[in-house]
Amino acid sequence: MAFSTARLRSDYLITRRTAEERKHNTLVEAVHANFASQGKAIWDKRAESIAENTQTKMRVEQLRRNHHASLAHRQQRLLELLSAEQKQYEKEIKDMEETPKQRLERMAQRAWALKARREEERQQIVNEKMYQRWRESVDELRLQDSKLFGLQVLAVRDDQVHEKHLQSIRDKREDAVFDALVQENYRKMVEREIKETEELRAANEQTKEIIRGQLQLRHEKQEAAIKEMKEERERFLQQWEREEKEEQEKLERLRQNAVEKRREMDAFIELQRQERLMKEEEEKHRDKCVCVCER
């Protein structure tokens, strides 16, 4: 009976040790799974950040390459235009060049033309002086020439006054036109600056909206990851509580079974003790009977 009780106690200890090891292994696996989930979430977040930075760098690099390509194309185009213009100027200069014979002929023709013009001018001056001497020799014509000269001076003065008035009017008109152009250019400049400011503000707002959307998306992803981790933790806690409850119930059943078995063993031991006492009483009674009979 003592051997059976020791065996039951050893079975109970083994069962309890196995349950504790199973519980410990479950907790270790849960901790490892939680650590792996956290590492995966951190890795996903870091990979997403790296992907966004890489995409931004690729977009900036593409814009830079496009700008360099456009700049190189414009430089090549300007170089071609300058080369074509240089060739055209060289061709025009080459066409304008004269041979020594053509230069001599041109200089001879120009000399004869200058000589003829000077002779013509000299003859005209001589005729004018001779006519003027003749008019001055006549008193009536000299008086008329003096009056005519006075009238010409008055006419020239009137023309100068009129021309000065017209020049003043033109200057005022040009000043008015210049002021109008200045005002128009200033208005266009103000409108352009306002437009550029609005476009810059719109671009900044669009950029802010994009960044705000990205931050919101990242925040939502973080919240989703945190929520998933919380749900996973709640499920783990619920599972752990359920397993703990099942383990407690199992231990309680084992304890009750042990108590029942102990009661059965105690009853069996008591029954054997009663049987042994009865046997001892019977043996004593039998011994008494034998002794009485022998007497």
Side-chain angles (χ1 to χ4, degrees), residues 241-255:
E241 290 177 355
R242 185 168 57 253
E243 291 179 357
E244 182 71 17
K245 185 177 180 181
E246 291 177 356
E247 188 67 24
Q248 293 292 336
E249 291 177 354
K250 186 176 180 180
L251 292 175
E252 183 66 24
R253 287 195 301 270
L254 289 174
R255 189 181 64 79

Side-chain angles (χ1 to χ4, degrees), residues 27-39:
L27 291 175
V28 171
E29 291 177 357
V31 170
H32 288 170
N34 190 11
F35 180 76
S37 299
Q38 291 179 354

Side-chain angles (χ1 to χ4, degrees), residues 1-11 262 265-266 269:
M1 296 304 296
F3 175 75
S4 298
T5 304
R7 184 176 182 182
L8 288 175
R9 180 172 179 80
S10 63
D11 291 341
R262 179 68 180 176
M265 291 298 296
D266 291 341
I269 291 171

Side-chain angles (χ1 to χ4, degrees), residues 119-134:
E119 184 64 26
E120 183 180 356
E121 290 177 354
R122 189 185 66 79
Q123 189 65 35
Q124 185 179 358
I125 292 171
V126 170
N127 292 331
E128 288 179 356
K129 292 299 182 181
M130 290 179 66
Y131 179 74
Q132 184 179 0
R133 182 183 296 175
W134 174 76

Side-chain angles (χ1 to χ4, degrees), residues 29 31 33 44 55 64 85 94 104 112 123 136 140 157 172 178 205 230 242 244 260 281 286-288:
E29 291 177 357
V31 170
D44 291 338
Q55 187 175 6
R64 186 181 290 110
E85 188 176 4
K94 187 175 181 180
L104 290 174
W112 282 107
Q123 189 65 35
E136 289 179 355
E140 294 178 358
R157 183 177 179 278
K172 290 181 179 179
F178 180 75
E205 290 296 331
K230 289 183 178 179
R242 185 168 57 253
E244 182 71 17
E260 292 292 332
E281 290 293 332
R286 190 180 302 114
D287 291 339
K288 287 181 179 181

